[in-house]
């Protein structure tokens, strides 16, 4: 299956739970690839055994820790005509998984890149959430540290599209609590756990209620879907804008972050909110 000129990089989706969800082409690609770059070679072995496939090509590990170092070798193989198959532990490569560096390097060298479409936790959770799916954005994993997590969420406070996040089970309660603090306790969300597996569960509700539920402990692979921000209510009164900033500052936000959040909520330029804050501090405004 080796190409005569430059080779081909194939990104292959793998099941996110139920092995029977494997796309039909996956078995053929696993059997015929010259090189299989796998996030976890042990999981790859389980996958090939489950699909009753015996790979003929060389298997190499390709994960976050060696992605940068291994990419040049794989590109060299591709330039030599090899068909390289990239698989991750679950879902599509590059989506919060290894793959982006290799794809970018291949594209830069005009090497053909194609895909075997497969299951996606992002799209599956979005479809099951019951929240709007016409416009959405994927935010990946939130930062581990609370301050950085809150800052990231504040950046998305005014986002009107549905938001999709990945999260580790041991950090889920902290992340949901942070979302409730920034987005509001009543903002609708869905926690999708163990998708397509035996103990699949979709928990829907307000962020405050979901945070309380998660505090008891949650296991499994987690995808969180959050409703986008509501349409802003028109705010023309500078005093009201300044008051909203002051409330956020008193809650611990830095002024710059508070101004950005209020501007996003009100659908106004940050400069307009900043001017309102400055005006409120003038003696004549008191």
């Amino acid at each position: 299956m080796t190409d005569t000129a430059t080779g081909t990089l194939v990104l292959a989706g793998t099941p996110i739970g139920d092995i029977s969800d494997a796309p039909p082409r996956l078995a053929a690609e696993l059997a015929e690839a010259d090189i299989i770059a796998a996030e976890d070679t042990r999981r790859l072995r389980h996958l090939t055994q489950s699909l009753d496939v015996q790979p003929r090509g060389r298997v190499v590990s390709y994960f976050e820790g060696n992605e940068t170092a291994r990419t040049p070798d794989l590109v060299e193989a591709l330039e030599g005509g090899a068909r390289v198959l990239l698989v991750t532990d679950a879902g599509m490569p590059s989506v919060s998984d290894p793959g982006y560096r290799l794809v970018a390097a291949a594209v830069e060298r005009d090497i053909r890149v194609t895909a075997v479409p497969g299951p996606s936790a992002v799209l599956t959770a979005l479809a099951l959430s019951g929240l709007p799916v016409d416009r959405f954005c994927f935010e990946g994993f939130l930062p581990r540290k609370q301050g950085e997590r809150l800052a990231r969420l504040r950046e998305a406070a005014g986002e009107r599209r549905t938001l999709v996040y990945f999260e580790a089970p041991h950090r889920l309660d902290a992340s949901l609590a942070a979302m409730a603090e920034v987005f509001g306790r009543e903002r609708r969300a869905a926690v999708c756990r163990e998708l397509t597996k035996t103990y699949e569960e979709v928990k829907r509700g307000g962020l405050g209620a979901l945070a309380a539920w998660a505090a008891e402990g949650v296991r499994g692979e987690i995808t969180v879907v959050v409703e986008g921000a509501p349409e802003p209510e028109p705010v023309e009164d500078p005093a009201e804008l300044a008051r909203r900033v002051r409330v956020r500052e008193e809650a611990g936000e830095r002024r710059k972050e508070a101004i950005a959040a209020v501007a996003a909520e009100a659908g106004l330029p940050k400069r307009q909110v900043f001017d309102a804050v400055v005006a409120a501090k003038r003696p004549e405004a008191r």
Side-chain angles (χ1 to χ4, degrees):
M1 205 163 177
T2 303
D3 291 354
T4 55
T6 56
T8 298
L9 173 61
V10 183
L11 311 178
T14 56
I16 59 176
D18 191 334
I19 194 66
S20 64
D21 290 335
R25 280 178 50 207
L26 180 58
E29 292 287 354
L30 287 167
E32 298 298 327
D34 298 306
I35 300 173
I36 301 175
E39 184 178 9
D40 187 324
T41 56
R42 292 168 299 180
R43 292 202 183 191
L44 173 66
R45 190 177 306 116
H46 174 72
L47 176 64
T48 55
Q49 290 172 351
S50 298
L51 297 177
D52 194 24
V53 172
Q54 181 61 51
R56 72 170 181 83
R58 178 164 57 97
V59 175
V60 299
S61 63
Y62 190 76
F63 58 97
E64 185 179 1
N66 72 358
E67 189 176 3
T68 300
R70 183 142 284 172
T71 293
D73 294 337
L74 293 174
V75 170
E76 182 178 354
L78 286 163
E79 290 181 324
R83 190 172 184 89
V84 177
L85 181 68
L86 178 62
V87 294
T88 57
D89 292 348
M92 284 299 296
S94 296
V95 182
S96 282
D97 273 326
Y100 167 74
R101 289 182 177 85
L102 183 55
V103 172
V107 169
E108 183 179 346
R109 289 161 179 77
D110 203 26
I111 295 169
R112 181 171 180 259
V113 181
T114 188
V116 177
S120 165
V122 174
L123 296 181
T124 303
L126 185 67
L128 293 177
S129 69
L131 297 171
V133 298
D134 54 333
R135 299 176 66 228
F136 71 94
C137 55
F138 175 57
E139 290 288 310
F141 285 92
L142 287 169
R144 290 180 173 85
K145 295 181 179 178
Q146 176 70 349
E148 295 175 2
R149 182 188 296 130
L150 288 170
R152 177 76 61 80
L153 290 170
R154 285 167 185 148
E155 290 176 1
E159 177 58 64
R160 293 177 183 40
R161 294 173 293 180
T162 299
L163 301 157
V164 184
Y165 296 90
F166 284 163
E167 192 50 278
H170 62 280
R171 292 197 299 269
L172 179 62
D173 58 339
S175 288
L176 288 172
M179 290 177 184
E181 178 182 337
V182 175
F183 298 154
R185 294 180 57 82
E186 301 306 316
R187 178 84 71 89
R188 293 187 301 162
V191 177
C192 303
R193 186 179 73 85
E194 294 290 87
L195 289 171
T196 77
K197 299 178 184 177
T198 302
Y199 297 104
E200 176 181 282
E201 179 181 24
V202 180
K203 190 77 172 178
R204 304 176 182 88
L207 284 168
L210 290 173
W213 164 76
E216 300 176 5
V218 179
R219 295 181 179 181
E221 300 287 334
I222 306 291
T223 305
V224 181
V225 186
V226 183
E227 183 179 32
E231 288 294 327
E233 296 180 7
V235 177
E236 298 180 0
D237 182 8
E240 174 60 16
L241 294 173
R243 186 194 69 78
R244 293 188 184 187
V245 172
R246 185 173 66 255
V247 168
R248 286 180 169 272
E249 284 186 287
E250 290 172 352
E253 286 188 32
R254 292 182 297 180
R255 178 167 298 173
K256 182 178 180 181
E257 295 170 347
I259 288 173
V262 170
E265 291 172 355
L268 297 172
K270 286 185 285 187
R271 182 70 195 185
Q272 186 172 338
V273 179
F274 173 80
D275 289 344
V277 171
V278 173
K281 292 189 174 296
R282 293 174 184 153
E284 61 269 22
R286 297 179 182 175

